[in-house]
Amino acid sequence: MEHEKSCGAVIFRKHHGNTELLLIKHTNGGHWSFPKGHVEPGETEAETARREVREETGLEVQIDTSFREVVSYSPRKDTIKNVVYFLAWVTSKEIHPQPEEVSQVKWVEISLAPKWLNYDNDRQLVNRVKTIIKKCY
């Protein structure tokens, strides 16, 4: 069995009194999810998440490492992929999607985000994030 590891972030912002999440539509597969990518040698998980967000969206983020969730799935036969997600908030405003990886980027009110997401793992992640944001932010 082959194992892969990626790291990413569920990015939120407060906007006009609402909490919004940043969703991206992946060019490969056409599904809505969160920014993520493979860990490069020598990187910490948080560094990977920050780099991947910057590469895929152009945004700079602050990573909250106290929120760390692992989503596991099988992208191919005989492969297990673990994706480590952190909670993050933006520290820059300009979105510049990476066209090779991302076809669309949008801010979605947190309660509507599950309707946009294609995978149950991502919808469950939103529910966990919603609780933390309400309690801590």
mmCIF file of all heavy atoms in Angstrom, residues 79 98 104 111 129:
data_model
loop_
_atom_site.group_PDB
_atom_site.id
_atom_site.type_symbol
_atom_site.label_atom_id
_atom_site.label_comp_id
_atom_site.label_asym_id
_atom_site.label_seq_id
_atom_site.Cartn_x
_atom_site.Cartn_y
_atom_site.Cartn_z
ATOM 1 N N THR A 79 -3.567 3.047 -2.732
ATOM 2 C CA THR A 79 -2.979 4.293 -2.227
ATOM 3 C C THR A 79 -3.884 4.891 -1.157
ATOM 4 O O THR A 79 -5.089 4.994 -1.355
ATOM 5 C CB THR A 79 -2.804 5.332 -3.361
ATOM 6 O OG1 THR A 79 -1.989 4.759 -4.388
ATOM 7 C CG2 THR A 79 -2.154 6.601 -2.853
ATOM 8 N N GLN A 98 -3.882 30.120 -9.137
ATOM 9 C CA GLN A 98 -2.886 29.459 -9.976
ATOM 10 C C GLN A 98 -3.642 28.666 -11.045
ATOM 11 O O GLN A 98 -4.248 27.643 -10.752
ATOM 12 C CB GLN A 98 -2.033 28.529 -9.095
ATOM 13 C CG GLN A 98 -0.956 27.778 -9.806
ATOM 14 C CD GLN A 98 -0.257 26.812 -8.870
ATOM 15 O OE1 GLN A 98 -0.871 26.238 -7.977
ATOM 16 N NE2 GLN A 98 1.035 26.635 -9.083
ATOM 17 N N GLN A 104 -11.387 28.248 -10.138
ATOM 18 C CA GLN A 104 -12.190 29.297 -9.511
ATOM 19 C C GLN A 104 -11.867 29.365 -8.018
ATOM 20 O O GLN A 104 -11.504 28.366 -7.409
ATOM 21 C CB GLN A 104 -13.692 29.005 -9.644
ATOM 22 C CG GLN A 104 -14.233 29.071 -11.055
ATOM 23 C CD GLN A 104 -15.723 28.760 -11.056
ATOM 24 O OE1 GLN A 104 -16.495 29.390 -10.353
ATOM 25 N NE2 GLN A 104 -16.104 27.759 -11.835
ATOM 26 N N SER A 111 -22.216 28.627 6.573
ATOM 27 C CA SER A 111 -23.365 27.710 6.607
ATOM 28 C C SER A 111 -23.723 27.197 5.212
ATOM 29 O O SER A 111 -24.374 26.162 5.077
ATOM 30 C CB SER A 111 -24.578 28.378 7.253
ATOM 31 O OG SER A 111 -25.012 29.452 6.461
ATOM 32 N N VAL A 129 -14.783 22.934 11.982
ATOM 33 C CA VAL A 129 -14.242 24.294 11.925
ATOM 34 C C VAL A 129 -15.254 25.305 12.453
ATOM 35 O O VAL A 129 -14.902 26.226 13.193
ATOM 36 C CB VAL A 129 -13.831 24.640 10.475
ATOM 37 C CG1 VAL A 129 -13.679 26.122 10.267
ATOM 38 C CG2 VAL A 129 -12.556 23.915 10.097
#
